Amino acid sequence: MSHFRLTQGTFSYLPDFSDEEIAKQLEYSIQNGWAISIEFTDDPHPRNVYWDMWGLPMFDIQDAAAVLTELRACRTAYPNCYIRLNAYDRSYGRQTTALSFIVQRPKEDPGFHVIRQEKSDRQIRYTLTSYATDRPKDARFDS
């Protein structure tokens, strides 16, 4: 099996960030007045945009260390899930994602398989399914 790496969000083609690099992005977000949230999932399908939220969004947060404390708690609770940080810019009067990036992955990204369907008039439809969802929720990644 070839190596798979889920690429979603900002910085998706860079190597994973260290906590120090994550803190720099949090500081940048805080300086811009963006609200921070932490989310996690065991279903990384690209159309699964509504991941489970860890706690409440951190509005008016002034300390990157506080966010890192919450991130570490989420990592401890969900060691085999994908975790991402989001920063929301409210300056437009609506919830606008200014920054979103994955900060934890399972030890092995399972990848996706493609189902091809041939329809009438030579139409071809594709369905993308995560291998992770072949197993029940909360049992998708080995401990």
Side-chain angles (χ1 to χ4, degrees), residues 13-143:
Y13 292 95
L14 295 176
D16 291 336
F17 284 177
S18 67
D19 280 3
E20 293 79 23
E21 292 168 320
I22 292 169
K24 292 289 185 193
Q25 296 304 320
L26 290 169
E27 290 167 8
Y28 177 79
S29 299
I30 291 167
Q31 289 171 0
N32 282 287
W34 299 339
I36 309 292
S37 71
I38 300 171
E39 298 176 334
F40 62 94
T41 191
D42 63 355
D43 178 11
H45 191 285
R47 290 192 178 162
N48 176 18
V49 295
Y50 298 110
W51 292 17
D52 294 309
M53 187 169 284
W54 176 261
L56 296 173
M58 293 171 249
F59 298 102
D60 301 320
I61 192 87
Q62 297 299 313
D63 186 9
V67 180
L68 284 173
T69 298
E70 287 299 314
L71 173 57
R72 288 184 188 110
C74 185
R75 285 175 172 164
T76 299
Y78 298 99
N80 297 311
C81 285
Y82 295 88
I83 300 175
R84 72 178 171 204
L85 288 175
N86 302 301
Y88 298 101
D89 181 356
R90 57 187 156 219
S91 67
Y92 295 108
R94 60 188 179 278
Q95 180 175 307
T96 303
T97 304
L99 182 67
S100 178
F101 61 103
I102 294 174
V103 294
Q104 175 179 291
R105 306 163 180 278
K107 290 179 185 168
E108 188 174 316
D109 283 315
F112 296 88
H113 61 265
V114 177
I115 300 168
R116 176 183 164 149
Q117 297 173 319
E118 295 188 27
K119 299 290 186 174
S120 63
D121 296 326
R122 299 176 62 131
Q123 292 180 357
I124 298 175
R125 294 193 178 151
Y126 295 96
T127 303
L128 186 66
T129 307
S130 170
Y131 286 120
T133 57
D134 291 344
R135 297 177 75 184
K137 186 167 177 50
D138 299 324
R140 294 181 175 159
F141 298 100
D142 295 328
S143 302

